[in-house]
Amino acid sequence: MSRNLGVRPAGALLVCVCTLAVAIPTCAHGQESVGEESRSVDVAAGDTVVLQVALGRAASHLEGLVVTGTAFADSPLDAPYSVSVAGRRALAEQGSPTAVDFFRNLGSSAGVLGYRQGRYTTRPASSVSETTASVNLRGIGPSRTLVLLNGRRQVYLPARLAGGRFVDVNAFPSIALDRIEIVKEGASAVYGSGAVAGVTNFLTRGDFEGLETSVAHEWFAGSGESLAGAIWGKRLDERARAVVSAEVSLTGKLSPDEREWALRDYRARTGGWSSTGNPGAFLFPILTGGETPAEFAEALRDAHRGRRGGVYVDPQCNDFGGHLEGHTCRFSYQPWDDLLQASRQLRLFGEVNGDLSERTSYRAEALWAEAKTPEWMTTPSFPPISPYDGAQIIEPDHPGRREFCRVHGQNAGFADATACLADDWYFYGRLVGSSGPGRTLERGARTRRLAGSIERRIGDEGRLLESVELAAGYSASGGNWNLPAEYAYRKYLAFRGFGGPECGVEVVVDSSSPSGMALGPLGSAAAGEGDCMYYNPFSSAHERSAQPGSRYFDQSNPDHVAALANDPALIDWVNEEVNLENSARLLVGDAVVKGTLAEGLARYALGYQFRWLDVAGEPNEPGDLSVNPCPVLGDKSCVEKAGAFTFTSGHYEYQGAQTVHRAFVESRIELGARVGAQIAANLESHGPVIGFDPKVAVRLEVAGPVALRASVQTTMRTPSVDDLDEDRSTSREYVSGAGAYKAVDTYGKPNLDSERAFTYNVGATGRFRRLRATIDYWSYDFENVIDAMPAAGVSRLYDDLATREAVREFVTCPDGEGTGTCDAATLERVRVVYVNWPGIEMSGIDARMDARFPLYGRRGRTVAVSLKADGTYLRNFLVKALGVNGVELNPEERVVGRLNQDSPMAPPLPRLKASCSIGWHVGELSLVNSLSWVSGYENEAFAGRRYREYNDPSRIDRFATWDFTLLRRAPRGVDLSLSVLNMLNSPPPPVLWEQGYDGFTHSPKGRRVKVSATWRR
């Protein structure tokens, strides 16, 4: 078998089955578990009739009952809408995947967050911790998949995100879960706003009795993951049951140097390289002394380009692990972007349920979860925002420059030391680079939940009013969003010899200076003397490199001068942490009545829901833009009010709340034995925004075991509290026209329309004696999709004189906002607002098959073979063009089969995701072989280019993994499981962006060996 299984998508399923059959599955299991449920089957030796009856009972329970997508329990095959279930047994046969792995491998999902370095997976960057996992059905954003716990809403992440907040499903302890039910079509008519793409409902083991403990460890090269949990359940009396569970999860650090594909030379066309590094470049501009700030910046830019003046790259660039290219030393920050961050998570869940009387039942539950990333690792430093503002000056008296001129002056093109020490130089580079170390910060997240319900059965089944249910839930989340930062004014001082916490020299505002700063009173201080220190930007400051594989990684730099090394106290003084403490609180109340309109014909559910969401964010003092919006502390006169730092932006305090009222109705209709229907409607009010969503779904049995089903509906997502918040949030983003990172202000808009979608699903189900199958064609037509205008599009239009006027109002020049007097290269900041994008059209096909075939039964054991297949083919995903003031801001794009790394509306979207398995089950043993397939796709950023020197990065290869799981399950005692996942150790396809692979779609772990043991009594 080849590494990436060269199979064409059309034949993927056939090859999957054939490959797994050749794998000789020789394992067994003493439970029937085709689909999602498991039931013990005991068969007398040689009793064929009993065997068939037992298998028939198991097959009839194949699909179980689902409670998601409706107010009435039903089987997935009898439901008129598309729903699938993953129970504990089915998950065990997949190797008991984490939430991230489960949803990443699910065919109907795309763009799942988790594991991959968070700096590259969210907008704004780094706002979500790697301990978070999302559900993203159909790839249209996790905020458009409604996530429920036991059928009730759960609070969102505390972070304020472009595209909307979502629920962290890593907060749910896996040992407490009974099954996951997924409605793979819109469900706003039943659940209200947010269920645009579908619903994922996590259901717990409320009827568990006894004690169960479980431990598991997963080994993979360079790291591992451990999980330990326990669940205890007991009947308190004849009418009450309590269940309590606890779980701890530990993830080890996985460094990029543990993966051959993660750290490669720049010419290998992998990501994680910057044009600004350390070692860096030195600019020798031609200046007259009377330049304006704009003219000064242009002079430095010309010197860097070799037009006027000169540039010299540090001669130790390559030996420190950089890449000399033209007039710069490229820097790889990949070694400090851990593929997995070391983290720990603790999750507790408890519930009490029972009957108060013969007609009254209740349920109460509580959840507590906490996640910590004690040493979140990121790049040693960030590049300067304005490398041509003169802040990073290197004057002739700089000791590092004197040493450089002594050793390398002639190589740099100077006739002698005197010429080398004439005039001022300027450094093009970052504070810390290839010598490291990386910056580490602590991150944390927490989730709380209290929920309860009480149901009173008023009348017998078949009565107009059968029951009334009241429910309430409160959930809260909190967490910090932090980034390392570097004080601009302290770097300004350190380059001039006045750095250090004890020097005592400050800066003052100077609007005539290109940097906007000037030295304050010096008093008795002298540059580089006493407590005042120089920052040395030359490679003479560094003895070793921290870049794996570089020359100076394991030997000393001959140019190193110990006396010129940068004092760690100086670097610490320049460094700072910007932090924003976020919180969110959700209060939900429900009232539902159920009854029968006509016995044997129609049942109904009628309800009301109240929701209140409160969000807030509080910055730490260094990062508070209301206190220090400018590089000079205390100043508030600057144009680019992004904070006191050279890359990281600060934050404004924010707070908002939203109240929702909704009324809904659902009716289940049976028109004879062959026709069933669901009719539902939702009316929802978010302040002035009112939405109405109807749904009709029909199921028709056409011929024996075959049935057709179809649903049509509208769905919606109302503007969130963040979408409507007119207070700005500020971040740094790369603005292509300026060729640098600039401040981008994002504002909410109070008159946004709700997102609307017309969706339909047409499918067929087959319920045969030993096989269940479904196939569905689905279609979504979205309108008014809410997201921010792309800052890159604003910059692009502003850079073109023909379209500049259309976006002038969104650009701030040095002389003010909306003036349009500057070119794109010198703009100060970009302002964007949340808008209603025209829409998204998408469609595809889902297919699923479960089968179990008995072979024989003897000595009380059954022997059977199981087959499963599941897949999604994405036929179309069209993002409609967005315009502003009569010009096209973002073009229409067909994004199927693309990486979509620069698309604000779509994640990576392989056209086909499929999986299949074959299992052999004997008594207490099962052996399951599985094959997962992802089709190849395109990195559109490089499509159509020719690459002679480098590898072609425009194509991302198809990918498949072969997994093996051996299970032994005992009714009482110890269950054992051994899984070998990705047995061929296939690396993820290389991708030219940060971390070198697509973490939304693939895993960096490689081959994994997982062992678990579960003890119960």
Side-chain angles (χ1 to χ4, degrees), residues 890-904:
N890 198 81
E892 181 177 279
E893 297 178 285
R894 293 192 181 273
V895 295
V896 177
R898 292 186 3 176
L899 181 65
N900 300 315
Q901 62 170 302
D902 295 323
S903 173

Side-chain angles (χ1 to χ4, degrees), residues 749-763:
K749 193 175 180 181
N751 60 344
L752 288 171
D753 293 328
S754 295
E755 296 181 353
R756 309 290 308 177
F758 174 80
T759 74
Y760 66 88
N761 191 98
V762 179

Side-chain angles (χ1 to χ4, degrees), residues 27-31 33 89 93 852 862-867 918-923 925-928:
C27 70
H29 195 281
Q31 292 199 353
S33 60
R89 186 61 199 172
E93 291 182 355
R852 180 176 291 264
T862 64
V863 179
V865 173
S866 65
L867 297 173
I918 182 169
W920 188 271
H921 312 273
V922 178
L925 297 176
S926 289
L927 175 68
V928 180

Side-chain angles (χ1 to χ4, degrees), residues 165-516:
R165 303 176 188 233
F166 57 88
V167 174
D168 177 15
V169 297
N170 259 352
F172 306 152
S174 60
I175 198 168
L177 297 179
D178 179 62
R179 64 191 189 276
I180 304 171
E181 298 181 352
I182 302 170
V183 177
K184 296 183 289 185
E185 58 182 67
S188 291
V190 178
Y191 291 104
S193 175
V196 180
V199 179
T200 300
N201 191 7
F202 293 79
L203 295 142
T204 58
R205 306 163 74 181
D207 59 352
F208 179 82
E209 293 183 22
L211 175 65
E212 180 179 301
T213 60
S214 178
V215 294
H217 184 75
E218 183 175 286
W219 287 271
F220 45 92
S223 187
E225 292 182 327
S226 299
L227 184 71
I231 183 170
W232 172 86
K234 183 179 181 180
R235 282 193 175 273
L236 304 179
D237 54 39
E238 292 184 356
R239 291 183 172 178
R241 181 188 290 109
V243 182
V244 179
S245 58
E247 184 174 85
V248 61
S249 173
L250 303 175
T251 299
K253 172 181 175 178
L254 179 61
S255 300
D257 57 6
E258 297 287 350
R259 295 292 178 268
E260 180 181 347
W261 50 264
L263 295 180
R264 297 184 181 181
D265 185 87
Y266 176 75
R267 290 167 294 185
R269 306 304 293 177
T270 58
W273 285 84
S274 171
S275 62
T276 309
N278 189 319
F282 311 102
L283 311 183
F284 324 131
I286 297 176
L287 299 170
T288 63
E291 290 86 1
T292 65
E295 291 170 341
F296 179 89
E298 189 61 28
L300 264 64
R301 191 175 291 108
D302 284 345
H304 196 195
R305 295 169 180 170
R307 295 175 180 173
R308 292 188 305 124
V311 57
Y312 187 73
V313 177
D314 195 300
Q316 301 291 8
C317 169
N318 289 335
D319 289 339
F320 266 91
H323 176 76
L324 177 61
E325 184 177 60
H327 297 137
T328 192
C329 179
R330 290 191 175 272
F331 162 68
S332 175
Y333 47 88
Q334 195 94 320
W336 295 279
D337 280 350
D338 287 338
L339 299 173
L340 295 180
Q341 300 282 348
S343 64
R344 58 180 183 269
Q345 300 187 57
L346 178 61
R347 302 179 276 255
L348 306 175
F349 183 81
E351 59 182 290
V352 178
N353 58 74
D355 298 320
L356 296 175
S357 67
E358 290 185 357
R359 289 185 171 270
T360 305
S361 61
Y362 68 91
R363 179 190 186 105
E365 63 185 44
L367 169 72
W368 183 91
E370 187 168 273
K372 289 284 187 182
T373 306
E375 292 187 339
W376 178 69
M377 174 75 74
T378 189
T379 181
S381 69
F382 293 120
I385 291 300
S386 301
Y388 306 123
D389 66 358
Q392 300 189 151
I393 193 172
I394 311 171
E395 297 170 314
D397 289 338
H398 192 294
R401 179 175 169 184
R402 291 200 299 268
E403 173 66 12
F404 177 86
C405 287
R406 183 185 70 83
V407 177
H408 297 290
Q410 288 187 338
N411 292 333
F414 297 97
D416 51 36
T418 301
C420 185
L421 293 173
D423 302 320
D424 294 332
W425 294 0
Y426 297 88
F427 180 56
Y428 182 85
R430 63 181 69 207
L431 187 72
V432 181
S434 292
S435 62
R439 295 285 301 274
T440 57
L441 300 173
E442 180 176 319
R443 291 188 148 194
R446 55 198 176 274
T447 304
R448 312 287 185 269
R449 175 184 172 98
L450 291 172
S453 64
I454 185 168
E455 183 176 8
R456 173 71 176 178
R457 295 182 294 280
I458 297 174
D460 296 331
E461 187 174 341
R463 302 290 297 271
L464 180 63
L465 183 59
E466 296 176 2
S467 66
V468 175
E469 182 180 15
L470 300 176
Y474 171 81
S475 52
S477 64
N480 69 318
W481 169 23
N482 56 354
L483 278 174
E486 300 161 2
Y487 281 107
Y489 84 94
R490 292 182 181 179
K491 288 175 70 175
Y492 180 94
L493 290 169
F495 269 92
R496 288 158 176 79
F498 298 102
E502 305 299 329
C503 180
V505 177
E506 299 294 337
V507 297
V508 295
V509 178
D510 183 0
S511 58
S512 64
S513 168
S515 64

Side-chain angles (χ1 to χ4, degrees), residues 789-811:
M789 300 164 52
V794 172
S795 170
R796 174 177 54 81
L797 293 180
Y798 187 80
D799 196 31
D800 187 343
L801 293 177
T803 55
R804 176 171 295 183
E805 184 62 26
V807 294
R808 177 167 57 88
E809 63 182 292
F810 303 109
V811 171

Side-chain angles (χ1 to χ4, degrees), residues 1-5 960 962 981-987 1007:
M1 181 178 288
S2 63
R3 187 186 70 179
N4 282 339
L5 297 182
W962 181 22
L981 309 172
N982 190 6
M983 285 194 291
L984 302 181
N985 198 26
S986 300
R1007 181 188 294 114

